[in-house]
Amino acid sequence: MNNTEVVAEVDVVVIGAGQAGLSSAYHLRRTGFEPDRDFVVLDHSPGPGGAWQFRWASLTYGKVHGMHALPGMELTGADPERASSEVIAEYFDTYERTFDLRVRRPVDVRAVREGPDGRLLVETSAGTWSTRALINATGTWDRPFWPRYPGQETFRGRQLHTAQYPGPEEFAGKRVVVVGGGASGTQHLLEIARYAAATTWVTRRPPVFREGPFSEDVGRAAVALVEERVRQGLPPKSVVSVTGLPLNDAIRQGLADGVLDRQPMFDRITPDGVEWRDGRRSRHVAADVILWATGFRAAIDHLAPLRLREPGGGIRVDGTRAVADPRIHLVGYGPSASTIGANRAGRAAVRDIRRLLTEEPVAA
Ligand SMILES: Cc1cc2nc3c(=O)[nH]c(=O)nc-3n(C[C@H](O)[C@H](O)[C@H](O)COP(=O)(O)OP(=O)(O)OC[C@H]3O[C@@H](n4cnc5c(N)ncnc54)[C@H](O)[C@@H]3O)c2cc1C
């Protein structure tokens, strides 16, 4: 098929079938939009599960504490010892069937452009959809963030990102440097330390540990901080980055054992390790592996032709709506980049879009 050929005209295209995309599709369906006729959900991954399908096997369901169910269907009776990638893929699969969401996959969205008559053209590996509104729910998994450090290209060992983390066994007998102070970095360290010859943990800023339970107030305050950034058009920070790390038993043990003995960021990478320089003195740690647990960025490159980005680098968003273009909603972006946030944002985006489509008919 010619990829610029218009396959169909719909009212809403949802890009992405993770928590954010499925929540949006559910609310579209509930408020009377028919799949295929009025909306489509496009996803480039091979199966259901959003980014969860790619997460490492040792991330069991029992280890993901803050996973909220999708709207309208609980996730019950899952074995906490099973990989979350399997549990959630199965749950999403059932969800899609139950609510007849008809996700099309694998369909890769390559670009969204301005079309004729106030419509948007969504160019994909399976042709072009013409739509009146767009819900972008593409998450962050497809854009791992790799910082750059001097000497990085000279390193003779292996470098990998959380997005490629294979589980701890592969690090047996290796000297591993883990970079990053988030939840992934600490989880990797606690797992790897049982197999590796040595581990070193480096982070840019000293990690902040949060005592006590994660209250709603803490959550709200964190979301408000991220919300303020996207309202200003700055690139969002992850919600987790502003909540701090929960001081649970595993973390306490890691701190006591010295596994979580945080070092400041190194100054350069050498062929066989990492190095800190302080005036004339330098310190070197030998390494076979550098694991970058340095997070992800919003996967929104396909929106580039719409020129929504602000000089600050982010898209200015009010609620879920792009301030520069009310046809476009970002769900799972910035303050809604959590499972509970994605649920709420899906509902809010659909409400706004309904209003837009009924109040402002597009010129024929
Ligand atoms: C290791 C890890 C653990 C986490 N644990 C938790 C937790 O316990 N609780 C919590 O609330 N949050 C957690 N999060 C964050 C969580 O992943 C998100 O809150 C939520 O699941 C993201 O959903 P999403 O729909 O926005 O994105 P995703 O699940 O990433 O879904 C995006 C979908 O868009 C598709 N896509 C992307 N680009 C394109 C394109 N160009 N064309 C077509 N399709 C595209 C992808 O294939 C994917 O299916 C965790 C994140 C990580 C990395």
Side-chain angles (χ1 to χ4, degrees):
M1 177 188 301
N2 175 353
N3 286 343
T4 55
E5 194 180 305
V6 173
V7 181
E9 292 195 347
V10 286
D11 282 340
V12 189
V13 168
V14 180
I15 313 177
Q19 185 100 9
L22 292 186
S23 155
S24 304
Y26 168 86
H27 288 291
L28 284 168
R29 196 93 175 78
R30 263 187 66 133
T31 51
F33 289 86
E34 279 292 318
D36 296 338
R37 187 193 70 187
D38 302 325
F39 77 94
V40 282
V41 186
L42 311 174
D43 193 294
H44 67 191
S45 292
W52 292 102
Q53 69 194 281
F54 304 112
R55 288 187 187 142
W56 51 98
S58 56
L59 184 65
T60 54
Y61 184 59
K63 285 189 192 165
V64 298
H65 303 295
M67 165 83 194
H68 281 256
L70 283 160
M73 192 174 115
E74 290 303 320
L75 196 180
T76 48
D79 176 356
E81 297 302 318
R82 278 185 78 204
S84 52
S85 53
E86 292 172 13
V87 171
I88 296 172
E90 282 171 19
Y91 167 60
F92 279 21
D93 187 23
T94 310
Y95 190 88
E96 290 174 19
R97 288 170 202 275
T98 305
F99 296 107
D100 189 23
L101 301 178
R102 299 185 213 170
V103 176
R104 297 178 186 227
R105 56 168 71 89
V107 176
D108 181 40
V109 174
R110 289 160 181 175
V112 182
R113 298 179 198 283
E114 194 60 56
D117 306 324
R119 299 182 74 94
L120 294 161
L121 295 176
V122 181
E123 294 176 7
T124 82
S125 53
T128 296
W129 271 267
S130 163
T131 184
R132 295 172 70 194
L134 181 82
I135 294 180
N136 191 81
T138 44
T140 59
W141 186 256
D142 291 277
R143 268 205 73 202
F145 173 65
W146 293 71
R148 292 278 154 236
Y149 279 87
Q152 195 161 4
E153 66 294 343
T154 68
F155 186 62
R156 283 196 293 258
R158 177 178 181 200
Q159 295 188 62
L160 73 167
H161 189 277
T162 293
Q164 297 137 351
Y165 179 64
E169 292 86 354
E170 275 200 27
F171 300 93
K174 304 270 194 255
R175 296 160 303 177
V176 185
V177 173
V178 176
V179 185
S184 301
T186 49
Q187 282 187 16
H188 294 336
L189 273 160
L190 294 172
E191 288 188 357
I192 291 170
R194 288 189 276 129
Y195 295 85
T199 58
T200 305
W201 184 29
V202 299
T203 74
R204 243 173 346 144
R205 280 181 294 276
V208 177
F209 294 100
R210 180 172 35 79
E211 284 275 9
F214 185 78
S215 68
E216 280 204 9
D217 283 349
V218 175
R220 250 196 298 275
V223 167
L225 276 174
V226 183
E227 214 156 40
E228 187 47 37
R229 284 182 67 86
V230 298
R231 203 175 285 130
Q232 292 172 19
L234 295 168
K237 281 186 168 178
S238 77
V239 172
V240 177
S241 75
V242 290
T243 57
L245 292 162
L247 202 47
N248 56 25
D249 289 348
I251 299 261
R252 268 183 233 280
Q253 190 63 50
L255 289 166
D257 295 347
V259 172
L260 296 180
D261 176 19
R262 175 262 174 185
Q263 310 286 312
M265 203 58 217
F266 46 73
D267 296 299
R268 61 180 296 107
I269 299 172
T270 66
D272 56 358
V274 297
E275 190 174 80
W276 291 259
R277 285 191 176 162
D278 182 8
R280 292 238 205 100
R281 283 184 310 169
S282 69
R283 187 164 72 90
H284 187 263
V285 164
D288 306 301
V289 180
I290 302 174
L291 172 54
W292 298 92
T294 41
F296 296 82
R297 297 290 182 262
I300 49 175
D301 289 352
H302 51 282
L303 302 180
L306 300 171
R307 298 180 186 279
L308 298 172
R309 272 192 206 259
E310 299 287 329
I315 296 181
R316 196 184 292 264
V317 172
D318 183 9
T320 58
R321 180 171 43 84
V323 171
D325 191 332
R327 296 169 299 178
I328 294 165
H329 284 256
L330 302 184
V331 176
Y333 179 80
S336 63
S338 68
T339 50
I340 187 165
N343 282 358
R344 292 186 185 138
R347 190 179 56 215
V350 168
R351 200 175 43 221
D352 258 34
I353 285 175
R354 275 190 70 78
R355 204 174 299 138
L356 175 85
L357 297 183
T358 48
E359 285 177 5
E360 295 174 36
V362 177

